[in-house]
Amino acid sequence: MASDTLMRRVPNNTETEQERATASSSTTRDEPDTTSAADALAVEFGNLVDSANIKDMRKLQDSILLNLKQSRAMLKDFNDFSQENHGDFEHDVNKHTQIVKTIKQDLDYVFRHTRQLRERIRRAHPEAFNNIAEHLPDSEDDDSV
């Protein structure tokens, strides 16, 4: 891991300036200056943060990484399960959808036929229909087809 490398490069506070100079002079001058900049940054971080804090951060990062790996594995298992059962579920949903559509068509037919019968009765016996009109629901309450 990168933090292992960082911890190896981070000098202890007891390291002398001569050891630091030797470590930084061991890099070749043909390379870009990024290595020495990285070393300098590592030294500065080493001076700012206690090694115990770095170890605690490392443990916390490892714990978070473990949780993320477990979450990823659980999501993968769920996706695999969902993919395996999708075909059965899709078949059941399509079957139930067709049943609901058939029921709706049947109800539409019944309501349409009821409205037609009500209209026939109203035309054939207008006086009797008017006497019971207040007991019947309004025809506007029915779903229009």
Side-chain angles (χ1 to χ4, degrees):
M1 287 276 186
S3 59
D4 289 336
T5 307
L6 179 64
M7 289 179 71
R8 278 188 240 125
R9 288 186 179 182
V10 175
N12 293 337
N13 291 336
T14 59
E15 188 176 32
T16 64
E17 289 295 323
Q18 183 180 12
E19 290 173 346
R20 289 183 193 163
T22 305
S24 65
S25 67
S26 65
T27 60
T28 61
R29 295 295 174 196
D30 296 339
E31 295 176 2
D33 199 31
T34 58
T35 306
S36 61
D39 289 339
L41 181 64
V43 168
E44 288 300 318
F45 274 125
N47 292 335
L48 293 175
V49 181
D50 185 29
S51 63
N53 288 343
I54 291 176
K55 288 179 184 178
D56 290 342
M57 285 189 283
R58 172 71 180 185
K59 287 179 185 178
L60 182 61
Q61 287 176 345
D62 289 340
S63 173
I64 291 170
L65 179 63
L66 179 65
N67 287 340
L68 289 173
K69 285 181 179 179
Q70 289 173 346
S71 298
R72 182 178 181 203
M74 289 178 8
L75 284 172
K76 184 184 179 309
D77 292 342
F78 176 76
N79 286 337
D80 292 343
F81 174 78
S82 297
Q83 187 175 12
E84 289 173 5
N85 294 315
H86 179 264
D88 296 336
F89 179 72
E90 183 180 22
H91 174 72
D92 290 344
V93 166
N94 289 337
K95 187 173 85 173
H96 292 291
T97 301
Q98 186 60 39
I99 290 171
V100 168
K101 286 179 180 179
T102 304
I103 290 171
K104 183 186 181 317
Q105 289 173 348
D106 292 345
L107 287 173
D108 287 343
Y109 172 78
V110 168
F111 286 135
R112 184 176 34 242
H113 191 66
T114 303
R115 281 192 297 275
Q116 289 172 354
L117 288 175
R118 186 185 297 167
E119 187 61 29
R120 282 187 200 165
I121 292 171
R122 190 182 64 76
R123 286 187 205 145
H125 308 287
E127 62 284 342
F129 191 83
N130 288 335
N131 290 337
I132 61 165
E134 61 270 358
H135 299 292
L136 297 176
D138 293 335
S139 60
E140 294 174 4
D141 290 343
D142 293 342
D143 292 333
S144 44
V145 178

